[in-house]
Amino acid sequence: MSSAAHPSNAPPISLRAQAYESFQQQIVDANIRPGQFVSQRELMQLLGMPLGAVRELIPRLEAEGLVKTVPQRGLQVAHVDLKLINNAFQLRGLLEREAASRFVTTVSDADLAAIEQAHLNIVKRARKKAIDDALLEDATTVDWGLHDLMIDTLGNELISEVYRINSLRVRLIKLEASSLSPDVLIPAMEEHLWFIDALKRRDPQAVVDRLGHHIESAHRRVLGLPRPAMPWSLEIPE
């Protein structure tokens, strides 16, 4: 999400756009927390951007529901409550089911093999040694990478934009209710691999059903509820 990802031949992006990308990255890196109060100058320092760019950024963040201005207090990052959790996961389910139903017919066998291997590598690492921050970071990249890829494969910029904003809400929710922590890393990867199995078999109904199971599992986890049982076990040869 950082501006460093832009190719050297791409046109320069505005300071406001750079500030927005930096804000996104701060959420990803857990440097911005749900419900946190921050002044414009504190946000300027956090983002490493001039005050003018931050002031231009704030209306966009407010319009997207990521921050709100509280009189006498400053800016407050979106507070996680039950309504936000339920709304964000419902929207996520609607968008990802549409994306998955298209993805199953368009993704190549080679890409699926690479996606599956990336997940298997995470599980192997997690089973061989203690789960540390580096592994959690890699697992999160693999986890979100599959979801983002499915959405972007639709080729619809409007859907991608709505999904990206909602993903920031989901990330805030997971910061509040625990992210991809050691105790959920392997089950989450196994749910992905179960879903990938349906993709490999080109079974559209199983793809949608298993994706729904995975999203509901994440939803229940942030609500503090038991995850639904998965009728599948993963066997990985050493």
Side-chain angles (χ1 to χ4, degrees), residues 34-184:
Q36 174 183 348
F37 282 95
V38 60
S39 69
Q40 289 187 14
R41 291 196 176 276
E42 288 171 336
L43 193 57
M44 176 186 70
Q45 295 173 353
L46 185 64
L47 303 183
M49 300 300 298
L51 186 58
V54 170
R55 285 175 172 165
E56 291 184 3
L57 169 67
I58 290 170
R60 178 176 181 179
L61 297 179
E62 289 180 318
E64 294 179 356
L66 296 172
V67 303
K68 67 176 180 179
T69 300
V70 179
Q72 311 303 320
R73 298 291 302 276
L75 299 169
Q76 184 180 27
V77 180
H79 176 69
V80 172
D81 58 17
L82 183 60
K83 181 179 179 180
L84 175 63
I85 292 171
N86 290 338
N87 288 350
F89 274 94
Q90 182 181 30
L91 179 57
R92 180 184 176 187
L94 290 172
L95 295 177
E96 290 197 30
R97 285 184 178 90
E98 173 65 22
S101 65
R102 180 78 61 84
F103 191 67
V104 67
T105 66
T106 59
V107 64
S108 70
D109 291 341
D111 285 344
L112 275 179
I115 291 168
E116 181 180 46
Q117 190 58 55
H119 284 76
L120 290 171
N121 290 342
I122 293 293
V123 175
K124 288 179 180 179
R125 287 170 60 188
R127 288 181 173 178
K128 286 183 177 179
K129 64 177 184 177
I131 298 174
D132 56 17
D133 289 343
L135 179 52
L136 286 173
E137 183 176 350
D138 291 345
T140 299
T141 299
V142 169
D143 185 333
W144 282 92
L146 175 56
H147 295 282
D148 292 345
L149 176 62
M150 288 194 302
I151 290 292
D152 289 340
T153 299
L154 286 171
N156 186 317
E157 294 180 357
L158 294 178
I159 292 178
S160 291
E161 178 71 3
V162 170
Y163 181 80
R164 180 191 52 73
I165 295 169
N166 196 57
S167 291
L168 292 176
R169 298 189 189 104
V170 172
R171 287 177 186 265
L172 284 172
I173 290 167
K174 290 189 174 183
L175 289 177
E176 182 79 356
S178 83
S179 187
L180 193 57
S181 55
D183 61 319
V184 302

